[in-house]
Amino acid sequence: MVKEFHGEVVHKKKKYKLDSLDKDIITLLGINSRLSLSFIGKLLKKRPDTIKYRLDNLENKDIIPGYMTYVSLNNLKKSTFLILFKFNEFSEFENIIEKLKNMKNNYIIQLAGGNWDLRIYVYSNSIEEFNSVFNNILKEISGSIKEYLILQMIKKIYTGIKMLSDKSFNINQTNYRINRSSFQKQLIKNKKKTEWDEQDIKILNILHNNARISIKDLSEKIDLATTSIFERIKKLVSGKIITSFFPQVSLLSLGYQWYKILIRVNPVSLEKIKNFLKNHPNTTFISEFIGEYNLQASIFAKNQKQLYNVLREIRTKYSKDILSYETQIVFSQIKNKLI
């Protein structure tokens, strides 16, 4: 049973080493965390109870503290922004963070190092609302900040957890039947026009921080029939409001460090660089922006040398296409809440 989880990512003092089976299980859940134990067992040629035992162990050690659903706020007709802050003094930093956490529109807050100390993702229903939200943030921190940068997010793509296992799994080309409650068929199809209501928002808020919850348990929480829950999730996935189900793996406890690479790319070359990063084993998310930078990659590397090699690989391959870039280290994620 997964403990209560709200998207937090923090450093753990204890480091763990995984064997190949644990790595393969995480990699498969990284493709779709709603895959059944039976399906995972068939692919790995293990009994379902063996997979369950391993998964329980990973959860109990907080290597997998939770399972998340990526919800596209843009496809919910929300405007989303990334605001980066550089502080000039930190005497009130902890109090400021607590105030920022309580602001509804701040849905992700990350503490960072490098050129920027704080990363806040904000959603709004309009540019006017964002301006109001941003001014409220400035009121709380205006005396402590040196500078800031605003980027408007266009799209965010989850790319999987590929750095742990040397195996490549294509679950869409297998003789084994994938459980319907994984919604894998809908995940790989093109977007369909979708309408939603308040019941759908309730479903999204629960799935956001518990992607492996059963249809039955979700039905009991919302007091809707299981068939209705199933069809609603199917609709939300088909409409690309839900774009992925994934485990929040504590890669920090496995010896990895979390980095964000902000890149200004020649727009003509944006798609080919996106595709390269999407398939890179160290990448977990890619975001597109309007602003000073138009691309961001979420990278996990074991040390500075590995990060250097990743950066050198990108810069060598696309030396004429990358106009500028900067790297940030993410120390922790202290909030990740939907709407």
Side-chain angles (χ1 to χ4, degrees):
M1 183 70 177
V2 180
K3 296 181 280 293
E4 187 175 2
F5 175 68
H6 299 288
E8 304 91 339
V9 178
V10 297
H11 272 290
K12 303 287 177 63
K13 290 183 179 180
K14 190 168 184 178
K15 304 296 181 185
Y16 294 98
K17 288 188 176 181
L18 305 180
D19 65 13
S20 59
L21 180 56
D22 287 334
K23 291 177 180 178
D24 290 345
I25 291 171
I26 291 174
T27 301
L28 281 168
L29 289 171
I31 298 172
N32 184 337
S33 66
R34 291 190 63 84
L35 293 175
S36 68
L37 300 179
S38 174
F39 179 78
I40 294 172
K42 287 175 181 176
L43 283 182
L44 301 180
K45 296 180 171 52
K46 300 291 181 182
R47 291 167 53 91
D49 56 350
T50 300
I51 302 299
K52 183 180 186 306
Y53 173 80
R54 291 298 190 109
L55 196 52
D56 287 345
N57 191 45
L58 291 169
E59 292 169 359
N60 291 334
K61 290 180 177 178
D62 273 348
I63 295 172
I64 302 180
Y67 301 89
M68 302 196 72
T69 298
Y70 183 70
V71 177
S72 171
L73 292 178
N74 293 80
N75 287 339
L76 279 176
K77 308 302 182 187
K78 307 287 184 185
S79 297
T80 53
F81 300 84
L82 169 61
I83 313 174
L84 305 171
F85 290 102
K86 182 70 174 177
F87 281 68
N88 55 24
E89 66 96 21
F90 291 84
S91 60
E92 294 296 319
F93 192 71
E94 291 185 5
N95 291 333
I96 288 171
I97 293 300
E98 287 304 312
K99 290 177 181 178
L100 293 174
K101 283 169 65 177
N102 291 326
M103 292 183 179
K104 178 185 174 183
N105 294 66
N106 300 341
Y107 69 99
I108 297 178
I109 300 176
Q110 298 165 341
L111 305 184
N115 290 338
W116 308 100
D117 302 304
L118 187 64
R119 301 166 48 87
I120 305 178
Y121 291 83
V122 175
Y123 74 84
S124 65
N125 293 304
S126 64
I127 295 297
E128 291 77 14
E129 184 185 8
F130 170 74
N131 187 55
S132 175
V133 171
F134 179 60
N135 285 331
N136 287 335
I137 293 173
L138 287 182
K139 287 178 185 177
E140 297 294 343
I141 65 176
S142 59
S144 301
I145 61 168
K146 184 177 181 180
E147 58 182 313
Y148 61 82
L149 176 66
I150 300 174
L151 303 171
Q152 183 171 6
M153 187 185 294
I154 304 302
K155 185 187 295 184
K156 188 173 181 178
I157 303 168
Y158 170 69
T159 63
I161 301 170
K162 307 181 291 292
M163 72 287 294
L164 297 178
S165 175
D166 56 4
K167 295 179 183 176
S168 179
F169 297 100
N170 188 342
I171 65 172
N172 300 309
Q173 294 182 0
T174 174
N175 294 325
Y176 304 121
R177 178 180 290 181
I178 303 176
N179 52 299
R180 291 175 67 236
S181 60
S182 70
F183 303 97
Q184 182 63 24
K185 288 184 178 180
Q186 289 75 38
L187 283 170
I188 62 175
K189 289 183 178 179
N190 292 330
K191 178 181 176 181
K192 291 183 179 179
K193 187 175 180 180
T194 303
E195 300 294 331
W196 63 90
D197 58 24
E198 287 303 312
Q199 295 285 31
D200 293 321
I201 298 298
K202 289 179 183 178
I203 291 171
L204 290 173
N205 274 299
I206 294 172
L207 280 174
H208 177 65
N209 286 327
N210 190 356
R212 277 187 71 82
I213 188 172
S214 69
I215 300 295
K216 180 177 180 294
D217 288 346
L218 194 49
S219 169
E220 291 173 356
K221 281 181 175 288
I222 299 182
D223 195 24
L224 283 176
T226 54
T227 51
S228 176
I229 294 289
F230 181 87
E231 290 302 323
R232 283 174 178 271
I233 299 176
K234 183 178 176 181
K235 172 191 69 176
L236 293 168
V237 176
S238 296
K240 303 308 174 190
I241 291 171
I242 291 175
T243 61
S244 55
F245 305 104
F246 61 95
Q248 185 69 70
V249 180
S250 180
L251 291 168
L252 304 182
S253 68
L254 300 178
Y256 288 85
Q257 180 58 62
W258 189 6
Y259 298 93
K260 298 284 189 178
I261 303 175
L262 286 165
I263 312 172
R264 185 182 174 198
V265 176
N266 185 333
V268 176
S269 308
L270 184 63
E271 286 303 316
K272 67 179 181 181
I273 296 178
K274 267 174 53 183
N275 288 332
F276 172 80
L277 289 169
K278 183 178 178 181
N279 294 305
H280 197 284
N282 292 83
T283 305
T284 56
F285 275 98
I286 302 168
S287 302
E288 285 185 56
F289 295 105
I290 295 173
E292 184 172 333
Y293 298 100
N294 53 1
L295 198 60
Q296 175 182 264
S298 188
I299 300 285
F300 283 87
K302 284 197 168 182
N303 47 49
Q304 289 285 338
K305 183 179 180 181
Q306 189 177 45
L307 176 67
Y308 169 78
N309 289 337
V310 172
L311 289 171
R312 186 176 64 177
E313 185 180 3
I314 298 169
R315 292 177 64 195
T316 301
K317 191 173 182 67
Y318 300 105
S319 58
K320 296 180 180 179
D321 303 307
I322 294 177
L323 306 178
S324 63
Y325 77 96
E326 65 172 89
T327 304
Q328 297 171 258
I329 184 170
V330 181
F331 296 124
S332 61
Q333 180 168 281
I334 54 179
K335 182 180 179 181
N336 188 346
K337 191 174 182 180
L338 200 52
I339 52 179

